[in-house]
Amino acid sequence: MTISATTPASTVEAKDSKHALSMPVDKKGFYVRPETTFRNTISSEPGAQFAPEKGRYHLYISYGCPWAHRTLLLRALKGLEGIITVDAVHWFLDERGWQFTDGYTDSLYDTKFIKELYYKANPDYVGRFTVPILWDKKTETIVNNESAEIVRILNTAFNDFITPENSSRDFYPEPLRAEIDQVNQWVYETINNGVYKVGFSTSQEAYDQHIPPLFDALDKIEATLGKDDYLVGNTLTEADVRAWTSIIRFDPVYHTHFKCNIKSIEKDYPNILKWARRIYQLPGVAETVDMDFIKKGYYKSDVKNNPNGVVPAGNGPNLAQPIV
């Protein structure tokens, strides 16, 4: 869930700019996701600009955003709660961007909008004001705002500050990296970003082109999870993390709000449902999920797809239910 501060390319139009969740689409109605811009890392190498330190770094997230949720989930799985602090924005997203209000506060600077942090990091910044943000308290700047890269930073950068059990958990192990990268790529194209391609299509042509690959990918995952507990190497990896935050939003949000309604996770994908519950029931994971926040974020912010802001009652499958 992002907004654009500028037109990302000459071939891209920002349709209905008064609606904060109206994503950039091309002239044929195909959704186009722009790139993120802050791409630094945290390293213990001598002379590194950003060195690993306990308490130095801070995450800004939205509980509604699946991309930001990845980073919060990795923080929990690695036991980094005492190492990296977190603030969450409010669920409502409008033309002003992500905001801190109604009990959701910026504990570092008491800013009112995420965009203020971007301008604090770079007064001349031109681009999108997105979450997640990995922030450096010491130099008061953004380290990285690309969720995929933040996940990998959290996977290894702070191993010296956590328990041996947590530091030994490697969600991007060397022997599986090629396969993880491959799975990440098609899951991103067809599911993570695929639901947005479907949901933000502004032409029937775009919708009809993107809906089949989405369900082909879900069918593929269902088949994999019929044989193994996890997507790669039968072990929990970042491939699962990246897919999971989209899957748990599928029934309560994407099925209805984004018109991804050929099948549902609860009724049609028993193996995916079992896998979703398996991860949800890991220590610390349930605390990263706020389904009320998630639903309000989509249904009340995206007034183009849901002009009356009515939020459906259902929360999708009960992920706390015993795995059978």
Side-chain angles (χ1 to χ4, degrees):
M1 296 165 65
T2 58
I3 61 171
S4 294
T6 59
T7 303
S10 60
T11 58
V12 175
E13 299 176 335
K15 296 288 187 82
D16 297 309
S17 59
K18 65 180 179 179
H19 300 311
L21 281 183
S22 293
M23 297 292 195
V25 295
D26 66 17
K27 293 181 180 179
K28 291 187 177 182
F30 287 80
Y31 165 63
V32 180
R33 182 178 295 277
E35 294 291 327
T36 50
T37 52
F38 290 88
R39 309 296 286 271
N40 292 307
T41 193
I42 296 173
S43 172
S44 57
E45 293 294 321
Q49 180 180 2
F50 302 105
E53 296 178 30
K54 181 178 181 179
R56 175 174 173 176
Y57 299 97
H58 190 76
L59 271 175
Y60 288 100
I61 60 101
S62 164
Y63 285 104
C65 172
W67 316 94
H69 193 178
R70 296 174 175 181
T71 65
L72 193 65
L73 180 55
L74 226 294
R75 175 178 175 265
L77 291 171
K78 288 289 292 189
L80 293 169
E81 292 91 342
I83 308 299
I84 298 173
T85 49
V86 174
D87 281 326
V89 295
H90 190 267
W91 52 262
F92 186 66
L93 175 64
D94 64 14
E95 70 278 1
R96 298 170 297 172
W98 295 109
Q99 56 192 285
F100 297 99
T101 187
D102 290 342
Y104 295 93
T105 61
D106 175 4
S107 64
L108 299 185
Y109 306 106
D110 197 30
T111 60
K112 301 306 178 186
F113 297 95
I114 278 289
K115 64 183 178 183
E116 296 175 53
L117 295 167
Y118 278 82
Y119 291 133
K120 187 175 183 64
N122 178 4
D124 299 319
Y125 177 76
V126 176
R128 303 180 303 147
F129 308 113
T130 63
V131 289
I133 293 172
L134 181 59
W135 182 268
D136 179 16
K137 300 175 189 178
K138 179 179 287 187
T139 62
E140 296 191 310
T141 194
I142 296 172
V143 179
N144 199 298
N145 68 338
E146 168 52 55
S147 65
E149 294 176 5
I150 296 174
V151 162
R152 291 192 179 170
I153 291 170
L154 300 185
N155 183 48
T156 59
F158 300 95
N159 280 347
D160 289 343
F161 303 95
I162 54 180
T163 66
E165 181 183 5
N166 286 332
S167 64
S168 68
R169 292 176 180 146
D170 186 358
F171 297 97
Y172 191 53
E174 182 72 39
L176 298 177
R177 287 183 181 180
E179 188 176 356
I180 290 171
D181 289 344
Q182 184 180 42
V183 171
N184 284 347
Q185 183 61 37
W186 63 260
V187 167
Y188 169 79
E189 292 292 343
T190 57
I191 298 176
N192 300 143
N193 202 37
V195 294
Y196 286 88
K197 292 178 184 178
V198 173
F200 286 103
S201 293
T202 59
S203 70
Q204 192 66 49
E205 177 190 4
Y207 177 86
D208 290 344
Q209 179 172 319
H210 291 308
I211 195 78
L214 168 60
F215 284 94
D216 288 346
L218 289 172
D219 291 345
K220 186 175 181 179
I221 287 181
E222 176 71 8
T224 297
L225 295 174
K227 299 174 293 183
D228 297 320
D229 287 344
Y230 297 103
L231 294 179
V232 177
N234 202 25
T235 188
L236 181 63
T237 70
E238 74 167 43
D240 299 284
V241 169
R242 289 168 56 126
W244 188 82
T245 59
S246 294
I247 292 298
I248 67 164
R249 288 162 171 77
F250 195 89
D251 284 11
V253 177
Y254 305 144
H255 184 274
T256 300
H257 188 59
F258 282 177
K259 307 178 185 70
C260 302
N261 61 355
I262 295 175
K263 297 179 183 178
S264 73
I265 302 300
E266 185 169 21
K267 303 298 184 184
D268 301 294
Y269 292 107
N271 296 324
I272 293 179
L273 179 55
K274 184 184 296 185
W275 163 85
R277 285 175 170 150
R278 182 178 300 116
I279 295 174
Y280 180 84
Q281 294 173 31
L282 293 172
V285 173
E287 289 75 15
T288 72
V289 180
D290 186 334
M291 194 55 69
D292 182 62
F293 187 118
I294 289 169
K295 292 195 304 177
K296 285 180 179 177
Y298 283 94
Y299 288 104
K300 286 188 173 293
S301 297
D302 185 7
V303 293
K304 179 181 179 183
N305 280 335
N306 191 39
N308 293 318
V310 175
V311 180
N315 287 334
N318 180 2
L319 298 178
Q321 185 174 311
I323 302 167
V324 294

